[in-house]
Amino acid sequence: MKILFVYPHFKKYLETNPGILEALKFPLYASYKSTPSLGIPIMTALTPDEHEVHFADGNLDPIPYDEHFDLVVINCFTPQAKHAYEIGDTFRARGVKTVMGGILPTNYPEDAKKHCDAVCIGEAEQTYPQVLEDAKKGKLQEFYVGDNTFDMANYVMPDRRLFKNKKGYDWKPVLVQCFRGCDMRCNYCAIPGAHGNCIRMRPPEHVIKEIEMNMDMDGLFIADDQLLFPTEVTEKYAYEFFSRLKDLNYKKSIFLSGSAMLTKDEKLLRLVKDAGVDHLYCVTGFDPISMKAVTHDMPEEAETNFKRMRDAGLEIFASVTMGLESDTKDIFEKHLKFLERNKIRFVEFWLATPYPGTPMWRKYKAKNRILTEDFDLYNGAHCVFQPKKMTKEEMEEGFLYCWKEFFTRFPLDPAEAMKYYNLTEEYQKKHGLISDDDKADK
């Protein structure tokens, strides 16, 4: 079969809420284009050589509707849904069989099914091989359902050949995954709904091998927020993984995700630093510790954790969630004071968003508090539900206030923000961050 994998376009902050640019004065937070998430490279690796594979990234290219394909496979998360649905509808109208998978179709399959012939619910390893067999016979089922029991020891090496050398990306990190699932069940998080309520771990040596296979890519992105959780099992894993990463002597920038739920093991945090990690992308606001710190005015545990990070030499990039159920209009200034008190200078703000599959989605749907299902607006820059203790307008005004007020108090040099990403020289030149002379000196 001739198969087209599609990664749909999604609208970032500035495309849907340009008021943020007034605070930043430069578009780094919303303008760069990065390579796709892991769904498509995993499915490419699972596709037998008998098939001819093609790829379209809606963030870079027009979708090749006029070309013949036997099967179109669309992988998407929630902010991509609108474009994904448009792509599915267009190919189906032309008689092409279409399949959707990813976190949005998994968590909202009945909606995705309106726009495709088949929906994969769950992980590709448990669903996609059967899709291929059925598509070859011309007998696609409506739904293919996994059960989140896939053994991560059998994780295939993602095959990035469809986009690895593709022009147009501003940031091409090696995106790696150590875990699937999470047992925290945070109200606004879609991970447990898509990947299960317990953490499944990939062998650390397997992750290191994947990094070694992709040393030519632009930096490393370790996407697991759970990697530094304060549990015995995650700490044991982290010790082995970061020890191996240290031995690898990786020289490019490492983008590591985390949260305020942080290990208390200072030796482990120093190992993270010694392995080459300089910055921690810290998702805050809706986990129990940071909620207690800001929403409920009990900051001691969160502030101690942030100090541990700084003492280990890790600089914090805080991704701050606001607009929770118990938040009132004073939450915005409380966040700003918390950031200032903890000397955090690299920040992004986003509004709590009830993604399909999350506890808050189910609660708000049941109470008719979802204001729109225009998934273009589910990118963290809009209030898409009726807040409990303020109006929608007050929430969005407070969100913009935080962007403008924070970067007025603490102006951000674009060159400083750039150090979090290995962005291409072309991107840096386009935005005036380097000159032709700078390029010649390299």
Side-chain angles (χ1 to χ4, degrees):
M1 292 187 297
K2 185 177 179 181
I3 302 171
L4 175 67
F5 292 107
V6 182
Y7 191 65
H9 173 70
F10 62 98
K11 293 183 177 180
K12 292 189 175 184
Y13 270 17
L14 298 189
E15 290 182 79
T16 60
N17 196 335
I20 297 168
L21 186 58
E22 296 177 20
L24 293 176
K25 309 301 182 188
F26 71 101
L28 175 62
Y29 281 87
S31 65
Y32 68 86
K33 294 180 174 65
S34 59
T35 48
S37 57
L38 286 165
I40 287 174
I42 287 174
M43 287 187 289
T44 305
L46 293 169
T47 303
D49 290 341
E50 67 186 84
H51 302 291
E52 180 183 330
V53 293
H54 297 261
F55 172 62
D57 186 334
N59 299 282
L60 297 181
D61 308 312
I63 306 300
Y65 293 117
D66 294 329
E67 189 173 342
H68 166 73
F69 297 101
D70 299 298
L71 183 67
V72 172
V73 180
I74 304 167
N75 179 255
C76 68
F77 58 97
T78 304
Q80 294 174 300
K82 198 170 183 178
H83 192 214
Y85 291 172
E86 175 189 314
I87 294 166
D89 290 340
T90 303
F91 276 114
R92 290 181 82 199
R94 298 176 182 226
V96 182
K97 294 298 181 183
T98 63
V99 180
M100 286 191 191
I103 201 161
L104 184 277
T106 290
N107 284 336
Y108 204 8
E110 67 275 17
D111 198 52
K113 182 61 184 66
K114 300 171 189 175
H115 307 279
C116 61
D117 295 290
V119 176
C120 290
I121 302 171
E123 297 168 7
E125 295 91 346
Q126 292 185 316
T127 57
Y128 176 67
Q130 190 61 50
V131 168
L132 288 181
E133 289 301 310
D134 291 350
K136 282 166 58 178
K137 300 172 185 175
K139 296 182 178 180
L140 279 176
Q141 304 170 41
E142 291 190 345
F143 297 97
Y144 294 82
V145 183
D147 60 6
N148 295 323
T149 60
F150 174 71
D151 185 349
M152 293 290 279
N154 298 321
Y155 190 100
V156 297
M157 283 296 177
D159 184 346
R160 297 172 172 84
R161 60 190 156 105
L162 293 177
F163 59 80
K164 193 169 187 178
N165 298 311
K166 189 175 180 66
K167 294 187 181 299
Y169 292 118
D170 303 309
W171 187 35
K172 292 198 294 184
V174 187
L175 173 62
V176 297
Q177 182 178 46
C178 300
F179 302 158
R180 283 188 189 162
C182 186
D183 52 10
M184 288 304 300
R185 299 175 176 84
C186 297
N187 279 335
Y188 289 89
C189 184
I191 289 175
H195 296 296
N197 292 317
C198 63
I199 293 176
R200 288 168 288 140
M201 299 182 173
R202 184 180 172 196
E205 66 273 14
H206 197 263
V207 185
I208 296 297
K209 183 179 179 182
E210 181 183 355
I211 296 169
E212 290 177 314
M213 292 169 60
N214 293 278
M215 297 292 278
D216 56 331
M217 294 188 73
D218 300 329
L220 176 60
F221 184 0
I222 306 169
D224 306 278
D225 294 347
Q226 313 96 312
L227 194 51
L228 294 178
F229 271 9
T231 68
E232 182 178 351
V233 66
T234 52
E235 288 172 350
K236 180 180 178 181
Y237 184 100
Y239 262 111
E240 183 174 354
F241 174 75
F242 286 108
S243 294
R244 289 176 179 269
L245 185 59
K246 179 182 177 181
D247 291 342
L248 185 61
N249 198 26
Y250 192 83
K251 293 299 186 183
K252 296 180 181 178
S253 71
I254 301 173
F255 195 97
L256 173 64
S257 290
S259 77
M261 294 184 292
L262 184 76
T263 177
K264 296 176 173 57
D265 189 329
E266 296 176 0
K267 181 180 176 183
L268 174 56
L269 292 174
R270 289 194 297 272
L271 174 61
V272 172
K273 171 67 174 179
D274 291 343
V277 178
D278 291 320
H279 315 101
L280 184 68
Y281 179 74
C282 193
V283 180
T284 70
F286 66 87
D287 64 273
I289 291 176
S290 55
M291 282 178 63
K292 186 169 67 173
V294 182
T295 298
H296 301 296
D297 298 310
M298 293 182 284
E300 292 79 15
E301 187 174 7
E303 294 189 346
T304 298
N305 286 348
F306 286 135
K307 184 177 185 301
R308 283 195 186 98
M309 295 182 210
R310 290 196 305 272
D311 289 348
L314 299 170
E315 191 162 21
I316 301 165
F317 185 155
S319 180
V320 180
T321 313
M322 51 189 60
L324 305 184
E325 190 76 334
S326 55
D327 284 349
T328 58
K329 288 187 291 183
D330 66 349
I331 191 64
F332 308 107
E333 190 60 42
K334 286 166 71 173
H335 274 297
L336 294 175
K337 289 179 179 178
F338 178 85
L339 293 166
E340 181 175 6
R341 191 166 62 247
N342 288 278
K343 301 179 175 61
I344 298 172
R345 296 293 179 264
F346 300 93
V347 177
E348 66 182 13
F349 300 97
W350 63 286
L351 287 172
T353 303
Y355 296 111
T358 63
M360 295 315 293
W361 168 267
R362 292 188 288 271
K363 177 178 179 177
Y364 292 161
K365 286 284 281 187
K367 294 182 178 293
N368 295 316
R369 289 174 59 189
I370 298 292
L371 299 176
T372 178
E373 289 191 31
D374 179 351
F375 290 128
D376 276 356
L377 303 181
Y378 280 59
N379 62 358
H382 301 272
C383 179
V384 298
F385 66 95
Q386 180 56 56
K388 190 173 183 178
K389 296 186 176 181
M390 64 183 103
T391 66
K392 171 184 181 293
E393 292 73 22
E394 287 169 337
M395 186 179 288
E396 292 184 335
E397 288 169 4
F399 168 72
L400 286 176
Y401 168 80
C402 283
W403 278 101
K404 294 175 183 177
E405 186 65 19
F406 184 86
F407 289 104
T408 297
R409 296 181 193 179
F410 312 107
L412 180 62
D413 183 343
E416 281 290 298
M418 288 280 291
K419 66 186 179 183
Y420 285 94
Y421 312 93
N422 272 339
L423 293 169
T424 63
E425 289 183 342
E426 288 76 14
Y427 180 93
Q428 295 180 58
K429 184 172 182 292
K430 177 181 177 182
H431 293 286
L433 298 170
I434 61 172
S435 65
D436 287 328
D437 292 338
D438 294 324
K439 291 177 69 174
D441 290 340
K442 290 188 176 183

